[in-house]
Amino acid sequence: MSLALGVNIDHIATLRQARRASFPDPLAFATLALACGADYIVVHLRRDRRHIQEEDLKRLCKKFRNKIHLECSYTPEMQKAALALRPYSVCIVPELPGEVTTTGGLKFTPAVQKRVGEMTAALQKKGIKVSLFVSPAAEDIRTAAKLGADIVELCTRDYSEATTQKQAQKLLQDLALSALLAKELGLEVHAGHGLDYTNVLAVADIGGMACMNIGFAIIARALEVGLPSAVAEMKELL
């Protein structure tokens, strides 16, 4: 069975924002990625607006609403934006000041659980599927289920940064056990962060996986072979 592929196009906007230019256009590249095999387009609307802007998200949702997977933090501002533009799904992620990229799964303190639970309910009320970005740990999977999430996205950062085969195998086992628990709790299972053409197969082989969300590796590969080939190569692996 082929897994779904979500292509993150944030770094198309990163290149544009580096010059504050009007191109490259994320919408054009989203259109191309979908035509070449992507199942979803993933974008992260960050508080510092370092790449994707609200106008990008508005245009993407207008043309491809049922294919847009929005990543955002659990702030009231982001909740308001998601409710206004209504993408197909929203992945609630942690966001730390000054981070280069997301550093791990949500830290479910009581305050975070309350806020995430409120946002989850508000989004679902408008028909938006909700995913929570979590570490591959049983306690976090159970918390996501308790908060009413539809999906968990397992953070694969530690696995992707493993420096030995033994370490990678241990982290794969954690991902596999987390996926099994998530399925038992009725959650759809996605995975993402740091996945590339060399390490994705082992994660894709885990039973119960539904979707891989991958951005940086695909955009970097596109610089060599073009986006159509980069997306097609990843889709073929899945």
Side-chain angles (χ1 to χ4, degrees):
M1 180 184 294
S2 177
L3 300 186
L5 171 62
V7 175
N8 187 310
I9 60 168
D10 288 347
H11 292 298
I12 300 298
T14 297
L15 180 58
R16 179 195 62 194
Q17 294 304 111
R19 290 289 294 267
R20 299 295 190 269
S22 60
F23 66 92
D25 181 6
L27 178 59
F29 280 83
T31 302
L32 187 57
L34 289 168
C36 296
D39 297 282
Y40 299 101
I41 296 299
V42 183
V43 292
H44 187 166
L45 184 63
R46 282 185 168 271
R47 283 178 283 183
D48 63 11
R49 306 302 193 272
R50 70 179 68 166
H51 36 60
I52 293 294
Q53 309 296 305
E54 284 95 333
E55 183 61 24
D56 296 321
L57 183 58
K58 181 178 180 180
R59 294 170 65 226
L60 287 163
C61 287
K62 183 177 181 180
K63 187 169 184 179
F64 299 118
R65 184 179 305 281
N66 291 333
K67 297 290 185 179
I68 303 304
H69 181 65
L70 170 65
E71 297 177 342
C72 65
S73 65
Y74 43 80
T75 64
E77 175 197 14
M78 292 302 167
Q79 177 178 320
K80 182 179 179 180
L83 289 172
L85 298 173
R86 296 180 65 178
Y88 173 73
S89 54
V90 169
C91 184
I92 301 175
V93 302
E95 195 171 309
L96 301 176
E99 66 182 10
V100 174
T101 184
T102 307
T103 57
L106 290 160
K107 305 300 183 187
F108 287 117
T109 65
V112 170
Q113 288 190 48
K114 182 176 185 296
R115 178 82 271 276
V116 169
E118 292 170 348
M119 185 168 172
T120 296
L123 294 172
Q124 290 172 333
K125 188 175 180 180
K126 294 297 184 180
I128 301 169
K129 295 184 71 172
V130 177
S131 173
L132 301 185
F133 190 71
V134 299
S135 299
E139 182 179 355
D140 290 347
I141 304 297
R142 293 191 181 97
T143 299
K146 182 183 73 173
L147 294 176
D150 302 293
I151 305 163
V152 286
E153 180 170 345
L154 301 178
C155 177
T156 53
R157 176 173 182 163
D158 288 346
Y159 161 73
S160 69
E161 295 180 353
T163 55
T164 67
Q165 187 64 25
K166 182 177 180 181
Q167 184 183 35
Q169 286 301 318
K170 169 60 171 66
L171 293 165
L172 272 174
Q173 184 179 43
D174 292 342
L175 288 164
L177 290 172
S178 295
L180 177 62
L181 176 59
K183 290 292 290 182
E184 288 178 347
L185 294 174
L187 297 164
E188 186 174 316
V189 186
H190 296 187
H193 200 92
L195 296 177
D196 59 32
Y197 295 86
T198 62
N199 64 22
V200 70
L201 281 175
V203 180
D205 279 341
I206 292 173
M209 285 290 179
C211 182
M212 303 281 113
N213 293 319
I214 305 170
F216 183 77
I218 291 175
I219 302 305
R221 178 66 174 154
L223 294 176
E224 301 178 59
V225 301
L227 189 65
S229 292
V231 172
E233 287 174 13
M234 184 60 75
K235 185 64 179 177
E236 185 176 356
L237 286 173
L238 300 184

